[in-house]
Amino acid sequence: MLSDITQQDLLDLLDYDPDTGQLVWKPRPRGVFLSDQEYRRFNTRYAGSVAGTASVGGYVKVFVKGRVRAAHRLVWCIVYGAFPEGDIDHINGVKTDNRLANLRACSASQNMQCSRGWPNRSTGVRGVSRKSRGSWVARIRVGGVLLHLGSFPTVQQASEAYARAAVRHFKEFAPASARAVLEGSV
């Protein structure tokens, strides 16, 4: 994965600003370049500038040691000295917000649970579908198993059932939309 790069490699190349979450290129010593021209060109153009750009998927990507790498993973290694075993979640859902306070290690499953996506196409509500007889069905997938939460007379009741189950099963990794449903129903 990223084992070809170390915390020291990153500390030699980048500064991390914990207030903004940005990585900034450090000036490079003459010895890493083949010519004076390359040395001057790099340090004039890049030293002190923000490293990386937002990718098509929305994450900030940085070209380091011959590969494009996710900035949030680089930040994690700079701060903690190693890359996490699993994924890194952006707590507020903003993929470009790489402040350490917004990053947490998680499993792939936890990372998927707290994502914004996948409302049911027919209802527009995550975890809720419509039965042919006019009732609304709530379901949730936990550990690869689809759990039936019940049939309800309204989409709101089914949505609340899904939200309660999501918070119970996924705790802090429950989707923000589930928390919003519960806060609105109190």
Side-chain angles (χ1 to χ4, degrees):
M1 191 181 228
L2 293 174
S3 59
D4 63 324
I5 193 165
T6 66
Q7 179 189 37
Q8 190 56 55
D9 292 333
L10 295 173
L11 292 171
D12 291 344
L13 299 171
L14 298 161
D15 278 323
Y16 172 61
D17 183 343
D19 295 328
T20 66
Q22 292 181 325
L23 295 168
V24 176
W25 292 114
K26 287 183 174 180
R28 305 249 177 104
R30 169 62 182 92
V32 301
F33 297 96
L34 296 175
S35 70
D36 287 339
Q37 182 182 8
E38 289 177 14
Y39 163 71
R40 284 190 303 273
R41 184 181 306 140
F42 177 87
N43 286 321
T44 300
R45 185 172 183 184
Y46 296 108
S49 66
V50 174
T53 57
S55 67
V56 173
Y59 293 98
V60 175
K61 301 287 185 159
V62 182
F63 189 77
V64 178
K65 286 191 77 178
R67 290 185 43 207
V68 176
R69 302 162 192 271
H72 56 279
R73 295 190 70 79
L74 299 177
V75 165
W76 194 271
C77 183
I78 287 170
V79 174
Y80 293 113
F83 294 99
E85 292 294 319
D87 288 353
I88 297 175
D89 175 46
H90 288 81
I91 297 168
N92 67 7
V94 179
K95 297 174 182 179
T96 56
D97 183 355
N98 292 319
R99 292 174 299 119
L100 191 60
N102 187 46
L103 302 177
R104 62 183 168 191
C106 62
S107 69
S109 175
Q110 289 170 323
N111 203 13
M112 293 301 292
Q113 291 308 321
C114 62
S115 70
R116 293 183 179 174
W118 316 317
N120 181 283
R121 291 182 188 195
S122 64
T123 64
V125 179
R126 187 173 182 170
V128 176
S129 59
R130 186 173 181 122
K131 268 183 138 176
S132 60
R133 289 178 241 145
S135 62
W136 302 89
V137 177
R139 296 183 190 127
I140 191 166
R141 187 171 300 276
V142 179
V145 177
L146 187 63
L147 302 176
H148 178 77
L149 302 173
S151 296
F152 302 88
T154 68
V155 70
Q156 181 63 30
Q157 289 173 326
S159 176
E160 289 170 4
Y162 171 83
R164 284 190 302 275
V167 169
R168 182 175 61 250
H169 289 288
F170 307 130
K171 299 177 181 33
E172 73 270 17
F173 292 97
S177 59
R179 294 186 200 293
V181 166
L182 293 179
E183 290 168 5
S185 67
V186 174

